[in-house]
Amino acid sequence: MAKISYEGLIKAMKEKGVGKTDLSRDLGLSTRTVAKIAKGEKLSRASIGKIAEYLNTSSELIMREESCNRILQILRDEKEMRLSGGLYHELQVRMTYNSNHIEGSKLSEDQTRYIFETNTVDIGDGIPVDDILETVHHFRAIDYVIDTAEKELTEDIIKHLHYIMKHDTKDSTLPWFAVGDYKKRANVVGGRETVKPSEVHIQMKKLLDTYNAKSCASIEDIIALHAEFEYIHPFQDGNGRVGRLVALKECLRHNIIPFIIEDSKKSFYYRGLTEWRNEKGWLIDTCLDGQDTFTRLLDMLDIPH
């Protein structure tokens, strides 16, 4: 048994110019089967294959990917349903607000929630356009993380996250700013020298090769990946947000409860990153505190973990 991807099915139906009534009539599907499709319930693979053949598409394009990771599957299901008030909804709002606010966004959590829930802007004066763009972009970046969660982490995935975050922003108009690619100019963070542009690819490949060699990463491994990513600082800007999105992806990949770094813990988070190579415990404790934040969200929504 498998589930139909409602988004994939609707897209294929639009391309063929048919509706649910046509499916029922032409394929002889029962009203119960059609109702199952609408509810996202499981169908036999034979039924899915029959529908795919009728729509002249592949079964994979209209089949929803199932995961044994309960949290990831809930996120995928709710993302496809666009369910309001669930885990997907709250992750989008809370992680986007906190991650952007850590980097200086002026949008409040309520304003972030308003943009996500209404897809409109009514937030008063004095908010930079890029704050709004990068909020919407962060929503799409979380979608991409959910879609690619179980794939091995690659440089291409990381670069695409940067592209999602930075395209169409003011930075993208700068000739020396590489959107979706590694930095072209050297940069310093908090007085600390980062990896030179000419060495970024080498250092990123080394980091990912070492990390991906682990068959089963732990939360400590993912925190270490995050810290070393920030030490490399591969992009001209946007490293913090991309790094936290990568950590979210890898927690979902390895069936680990993710962590959300709250803006109120920013000073502890920055201290942990700065002192990582001297004292690893500070960053680990801050990220574990962020994991507790996510756990409280699961408890609030009555999701077992």
Side-chain angles (χ1 to χ4, degrees):
M1 302 292 282
K3 288 185 179 181
I4 284 277
S5 166
Y6 194 67
E7 287 182 353
L9 177 65
I10 294 301
K11 181 179 179 182
M13 288 170 63
K14 283 183 178 179
E15 290 175 352
K16 190 173 174 66
V18 301
K20 292 178 185 176
T21 302
D22 300 303
L23 279 182
S24 180
R25 182 190 65 239
D26 297 345
L27 293 178
L29 297 176
S30 68
T31 54
R32 177 175 172 76
T33 299
V34 174
K36 281 186 175 183
I37 291 172
K39 293 178 181 178
E41 295 181 7
K42 290 184 178 181
L43 297 177
S44 69
R45 291 186 178 272
S47 293
I48 294 176
K50 192 176 181 181
I51 294 169
E53 184 178 2
Y54 172 74
L55 295 173
N56 195 29
T57 188
S58 69
S59 297
E60 288 74 18
L61 292 179
I62 64 169
M63 193 181 301
R64 186 188 305 176
E65 188 176 357
E66 294 286 299
S67 173
C68 60
N69 180 335
R70 180 175 176 80
I71 292 175
L72 177 56
Q73 192 58 51
I74 289 172
L75 290 172
R76 283 180 172 164
D77 289 345
E78 293 184 357
K79 169 180 172 289
E80 187 163 24
M81 296 164 61
R82 295 294 167 182
L83 180 69
S84 178
L87 181 61
Y88 169 77
H89 186 144
E90 290 302 315
L91 171 65
Q92 284 280 17
V93 172
R94 296 179 187 214
M95 183 170 182
T96 297
Y97 161 70
N98 282 290
S99 195
N100 282 349
H101 220 253
I102 285 173
E103 303 302 331
S105 172
K106 294 183 178 181
L107 288 171
S108 69
E109 183 171 351
D110 286 342
Q111 290 168 333
T112 303
R113 185 177 296 276
Y114 186 86
I115 293 172
F116 180 76
E117 293 176 352
T118 69
N119 200 34
T120 59
V121 177
D122 182 17
I123 53 180
D125 298 328
I127 301 294
V129 172
D130 273 5
D131 284 4
I132 299 169
L133 285 174
E134 290 181 351
T135 293
V136 177
H137 292 172
H138 200 280
F139 296 150
R140 300 292 77 79
I142 290 179
D143 284 348
Y144 180 69
V145 163
I146 292 170
D147 291 342
T148 61
E150 292 179 313
K151 295 182 179 180
E152 182 175 89
L153 183 62
T154 65
E155 290 181 84
D156 285 343
I157 287 175
I158 293 171
K159 287 180 179 180
H160 191 63
L161 282 170
H162 187 260
Y163 172 80
I164 293 172
M165 285 300 307
K166 283 295 182 178
H167 76 282
D168 293 337
T169 64
K170 183 178 179 181
D171 285 335
S172 69
T173 68
L174 303 173
W176 49 267
F177 192 100
V179 175
D181 205 350
Y182 295 145
K183 62 190 177 186
K184 296 180 179 180
R185 301 168 68 93
N187 48 17
V188 174
V189 179
R192 175 179 58 80
E193 183 181 4
T194 62
V195 170
K196 293 179 173 60
S198 61
E199 299 174 1
V200 168
H201 167 66
I202 296 170
Q203 292 301 316
M204 284 296 297
K205 185 178 184 306
K206 181 180 178 181
L207 175 63
L208 293 183
D209 285 349
T210 300
Y211 172 76
N212 284 324
K214 303 176 188 293
S215 59
C216 186
S218 65
I219 183 64
E220 289 80 9
D221 292 327
I222 294 171
I223 294 169
L225 170 71
H226 177 51
E228 294 301 330
F229 174 88
E230 300 302 336
Y231 266 78
I232 294 172
H233 220 69
F235 302 111
Q236 208 69 57
D237 186 45
N239 295 277
R241 279 170 283 203
V242 172
R244 291 185 288 275
L245 286 162
V246 167
L248 171 64
K249 177 200 172 302
E250 290 307 296
C251 283
L252 294 175
R253 176 186 171 195
H254 291 285
N255 205 0
I256 294 169
I257 294 176
F259 55 86
I260 298 176
I261 304 298
E262 295 176 292
D263 179 60
S264 61
K265 310 293 174 61
K266 177 169 63 176
S267 61
F268 298 104
Y269 172 63
Y270 280 156
R271 181 187 69 172
L273 285 173
T274 300
E275 298 297 330
W276 171 254
R277 291 183 176 173
N278 299 317
E279 173 53 65
K280 292 179 169 46
W282 287 339
L283 182 62
I284 290 174
D285 287 347
T286 302
C287 291
L288 292 180
D289 178 81
Q291 195 177 49
D292 290 341
T293 298
F294 198 98
T295 299
R296 287 193 295 273
L297 178 57
L298 295 176
D299 291 339
M300 183 179 73
L301 294 169
D302 198 27
I303 297 173
H305 51 84

